[in-house]
Amino acid sequence: GAGVSQSPSNKVTEKGKDVELRCDPISGHTALYWYRQSLGQGLEFLIYFQGNSAPDKSGLPSDRFSAERTGGSVSTLTIQRTQQEDSAVYLCASSRGGGYSNQPQHFGDGTRLSIL
Amino acid sequence: SQKIEQNSEALNIQEGKTATLTCNYTNYSPAYLQWYRQDPGRGPVFLLLIRENEKEKRKERLKVTFDTTLKQSLFHITASQPADSATYLCALSFEGGGNKLTFGTGTQLKVEL
């Protein structure tokens, strides 16, 4: 498709389980970002991939969170041993890369994660 | 602490009027400021980007100003329409920051007939 695709759109799981969220960026975009949006909160940066460079993981809230990007395209965000405070909408975005700070980001519609 | 503040209360205006949304920040020196629109259940959609050395930028009915002395951006929608009803987010990025964005909490705009 033409836009950023995320799956699943909704995920309900029990506390303590692991979850994987997938993001398929726009073709040709070398930069990929993960954000989290909790109810009533702004988007919170989690992690950023740019080409073959080491990812910027500075926003990951704990070591239960990890992400990878295979082949410079699809990315997976993994949350281990989920907690109720992990409930949020997880948004993925991509942009033309180069590491510059002036590129618009194109967002998917997110995965709504609910931890019971 | 670092903060980006947007009007926390919803803004209701009449169709045809100009909507003005504010974004204030403290303890940042951003290189760029971006505005996004977000509809319920959807991801944000990019609207405009303005650089720190630009005072104003326009796109169709939209206008953004950026005052780095006041640490404030204003976002205007002229001749507003009910279809403009949405949440509007401002976001900052920084030179050397690799384009990761720091977002405000957003302002909900409702344009009434």
Side-chain angles (χ1 to χ4, degrees):
Chain A
V4 176
S5 177
Q6 291 189 246
S7 61
S9 54
N10 286 282
K11 176 74 176 178
V12 180
T13 192
E14 293 180 347
K15 176 182 171 181
K17 301 286 189 183
D18 297 353
V19 295
E20 283 191 355
L21 313 179
R22 176 188 168 105
C23 173
D24 202 339
I26 292 172
S27 178
H29 281 188
T30 59
L32 186 147
Y33 317 79
W34 284 97
Y35 296 87
R36 169 168 83 171
Q37 188 172 32
S38 303
L39 191 63
Q41 303 293 315
L43 276 77
E44 173 191 14
F45 167 77
L46 297 177
I47 188 168
Y48 159 54
F49 297 88
Q50 169 53 52
N52 295 321
S53 302
D56 177 349
K57 304 179 182 180
S58 60
L60 294 178
S62 78
D63 59 8
R64 297 186 295 104
F65 288 71
S66 63
E68 62 178 22
R69 188 179 185 192
T70 53
S73 180
V74 171
S75 177
T76 302
L77 177 69
T78 301
I79 308 173
Q80 295 178 311
R81 306 181 302 283
T82 52
Q83 303 294 314
Q84 287 187 331
E85 62 262 28
D86 299 335
S87 296
V89 177
Y90 289 82
L91 290 157
C92 175
S94 69
S95 71
R96 298 181 190 280
Y100 298 111
S101 304
N102 62 349
Q103 297 297 316
Q105 295 186 14
H106 301 262
F107 283 83
D109 287 334
T111 294
R112 183 174 299 276
L113 178 63
S114 300
I115 309 299
L116 302 178
Chain B
S1 63
Q2 298 172 327
K3 275 186 179 181
I4 304 174
E5 294 183 342
Q6 297 186 248
N7 311 59
S8 57
E9 295 185 8
L11 178 63
N12 294 340
I13 64 167
Q14 196 173 19
E15 182 181 21
K17 301 292 187 183
T18 296
T20 298
L21 286 67
T22 62
C23 175
N24 296 293
Y25 58 94
T26 58
N27 298 332
Y28 287 110
S29 294
Y32 303 94
L33 190 147
Q34 302 185 25
W35 283 88
Y36 287 79
R37 168 185 173 139
Q38 187 172 27
D39 291 284
R42 306 299 301 273
V45 174
F46 171 77
L47 296 175
L48 280 169
L49 177 149
I50 188 165
R51 293 172 171 73
E52 62 176 336
N53 59 356
E54 294 179 313
K55 297 293 185 186
E56 180 179 301
K57 182 163 277 190
R58 294 174 184 260
K59 178 182 176 183
E60 298 172 351
R61 295 184 296 111
L62 309 180
K63 184 178 85 170
V64 172
T65 63
F66 193 10
D67 188 326
T68 55
T69 300
L70 291 178
K71 295 185 180 291
Q72 180 182 76
S73 174
L74 299 179
F75 177 78
H76 306 273
I77 306 175
T78 59
S80 59
Q81 305 166 0
D84 295 326
S85 299
T87 296
Y88 291 85
L89 306 167
C90 72
L92 308 181
S93 60
F94 308 88
E95 289 293 0
N99 206 31
K100 63 188 180 187
L101 294 174
T102 303
F103 280 88
T105 52
T107 297
Q108 186 177 3
L109 172 67
K110 184 174 182 181
V111 181
E112 299 168 331
L113 293 170

